[in-house]
């Protein structure tokens, strides 16, 4: 009976998500069999040039279907997968799927894949990426790896070494969730990042002067270091206008497009080509 109370109604309005019913143990079980049971999939969210509206590419985001058929939030299952190591295989599956989709649908934009610190530290990660790209006949430049500064990512020498290997392979390296962790400024200093994504928590909902100045300062810092700046989580025209004023390069958010299955974005790509 409890399944039919308030919370489940939410999913009617937002098919994207949410199921908070899983305990950590049942989640771990779900994750262990997610690939063979075809419970995971990838959706793609467009990233556009703010000036021209041109699509630069897409962020690949993992989706997990729970035992009751509803989606589990990545913010819920990713930490569990990182903790028990399942993220290594799940993350590889996402990258492989992204390669297959790019090859099959001849996508021309850049595809950015989220990589957990746990994956980056796993032995042979860079080699595995190189192998997948080669097997699908794809150019490394078409892929970006999003490293979140939330996790303890670049402090460890293993991870730093993997980043260098990936760079020399030609894969782009982006920094995700800038501003939320402790590693951000240090990462900027140590790594030649292609794009820095400012976390959406820094995007003001209204034009509060203090918040705007904060965001402006972050953008100026990144600009003075020659980084390309992306702001994520853009939901309103007002926010977009603010980012135009602040001269941001790239944006991503529900205002531009929600994460969608590859079939839905193929239309966008084709209309661009035509
Ligand atoms: P992220 O990498 O920062 O991804 C952006 C998140 O913001 C996505 O949530 C996306 O759906 C959401 N988002 C995009 N635009 C908007 C907007 O305008 N408003 C709001 N409120 N949200 C927006 P999602 O898909 O739930 O993923 C959450 C986090 O889970 C990701 O944050 C990333 O850290 C992690 N994640 C997702 N897929 C993967 C994956 O394949 N591997 C790894 N390691 N982590 C992943
Ligand atoms: Mg990301
Ligand atoms: Mg992000
Ligand atoms: Mg984020």
């Amino acid at each position: 009976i409890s399944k039919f109370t308030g919370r489940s109604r939410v999913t009617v309005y937002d098919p994207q998500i949410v199921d908070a019913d899983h305990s950590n143990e049942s989640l771990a079980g779900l994750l262990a069999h997610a690939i063979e049971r075809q419970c995971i999939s990838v959706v793609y969210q467009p990233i556009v040039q703010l000036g021209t509206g041109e699509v630069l590419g897409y962020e690949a985001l993992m989706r997990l279907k729970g035992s009751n058929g509803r989606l589990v939030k990545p913010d819920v299952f990713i930490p569990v997968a990182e903790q028990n190591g399942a993220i290594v295989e799940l993350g590889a599956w996402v990258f492989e799927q992204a390669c297959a989709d790019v090859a099959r649908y001849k996508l021309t934009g850049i595809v950015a894949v989220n990589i957990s610190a746990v994956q980056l530290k796993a032995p042979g990660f860079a080699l595995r990426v190189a192998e997948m790209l080669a097997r699908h006949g794809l150019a490394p430049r078409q892929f970006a790896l999003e490293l979140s500064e939330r996790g303890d990512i670049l402090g460890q020498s293993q991870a730093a070494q993997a980043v260098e290997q990936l760079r020399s392979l030609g894969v782009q390296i982006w920094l995700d969730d800038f501003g939320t962790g402790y590693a951000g400024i240090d990462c900027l200093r140590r790594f030649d990042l292609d794009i820095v994504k400012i976390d959406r928590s820094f995007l003001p909902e209204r034009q509060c002067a203090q918040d705007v100045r904060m965001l402006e300062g972050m953008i100026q810092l990144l600009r003075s270091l020659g980084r390309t700046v992306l702001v994520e989580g853009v939901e309103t025209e007002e926010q977009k206008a603010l980012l135009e004023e602040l001269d941001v390069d790239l944006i991503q958010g529900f205002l531009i497009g929600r994460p969608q299955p590859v079939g839905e974005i193929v239309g966008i790509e084709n209309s661009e080509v035509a």
Side-chain angles (χ1 to χ4, degrees):
I1 286 170
S2 66
K3 286 221 161 96
F4 298 98
T5 54
R7 189 178 357 165
S8 64
R9 272 207 314 269
V10 174
T11 59
V12 175
Y13 300 107
D14 184 3
Q16 291 270 333
I17 265 154
V18 168
D19 177 14
D21 290 347
H22 292 274
S23 69
N24 276 15
E25 289 106 276
S26 69
L27 258 183
L30 202 62
L31 292 167
H33 302 285
I35 296 173
E36 48 170 297
R37 293 184 187 157
Q38 304 184 333
C39 295
I40 70 164
S41 59
V42 183
V43 287
Y44 298 89
Q45 185 179 32
I47 295 167
V48 305
Q49 305 276 0
L50 186 49
T52 61
E54 197 186 322
V55 177
L56 172 87
Y58 304 89
E59 178 173 10
L61 295 158
M62 197 185 324
R63 291 292 177 260
L64 174 73
K65 206 160 53 166
S67 39
N68 56 11
R70 283 192 272 152
L71 293 178
V72 186
K73 254 182 181 321
D75 292 335
V76 172
F77 76 79
I78 298 278
V80 176
E82 287 179 329
Q83 216 169 23
N84 72 11
I87 193 69
V88 173
E89 288 314 312
L90 294 174
W93 187 90
V94 168
F95 195 84
E96 178 88 55
Q97 189 61 45
C99 288
D101 287 341
V102 169
R104 175 170 176 206
Y105 294 100
K106 302 195 179 359
L107 301 181
T108 53
I110 290 167
V111 173
V113 181
N114 293 283
I115 302 296
S116 151
V118 178
Q119 287 172 272
L120 205 57
K121 285 179 216 155
F125 176 71
L127 219 68
R128 207 168 173 188
V129 168
E131 183 273 321
M132 284 191 260
L133 290 170
R135 188 154 36 75
H136 289 275
L138 299 170
R141 263 336 263 179
Q142 204 183 342
F143 287 82
L145 303 184
E146 293 193 8
L147 311 181
S148 173
E149 71 160 73
R150 262 177 227 281
D152 163 31
I153 201 150
L154 301 176
Q156 313 227 349
S157 61
Q158 272 161 303
Q161 206 184 343
V163 170
E164 289 315 317
Q165 287 170 342
L166 291 159
R167 277 223 78 104
S168 51
L169 181 70
V171 172
Q172 298 194 25
I173 305 291
W174 296 5
L175 183 62
D176 204 356
D177 306 319
F178 182 69
T180 59
Y182 299 104
I185 304 279
D186 198 38
C187 285
L188 286 181
R189 239 190 354 186
R190 293 171 51 208
F191 295 95
D192 186 18
L193 301 159
D194 296 288
I195 288 176
V196 177
K197 301 181 80 164
I198 296 180
D199 192 71
R200 73 160 189 273
S201 58
F202 291 94
L203 185 55
E205 269 166 42
R206 322 207 152 273
Q207 295 227 7
C208 155
Q210 177 111 334
D211 291 352
V212 171
R213 243 175 271 132
M214 179 89 177
L215 179 62
E216 191 175 14
M218 290 169 84
I219 293 166
Q220 274 168 6
L221 170 67
L222 295 172
R223 284 223 162 280
S224 66
L225 294 170
R227 305 298 184 222
T228 299
V229 181
L230 184 156
V231 174
E232 54 182 12
V234 182
E235 292 182 349
T236 66
E237 290 291 347
E238 195 186 2
Q239 290 174 326
K240 186 176 167 220
L242 169 66
L243 298 176
E244 268 160 3
E245 255 172 67
L246 298 180
D247 204 21
V248 161
D249 303 289
L250 299 159
I251 57 170
Q252 181 183 347
F254 295 164
L255 179 69
I256 309 303
R258 292 203 171 238
Q260 293 177 311
V262 67
E264 311 278 315
I265 66 168
V266 172
I268 306 173
E269 287 258 324
N270 288 345
S271 64
E272 258 204 328
V273 173

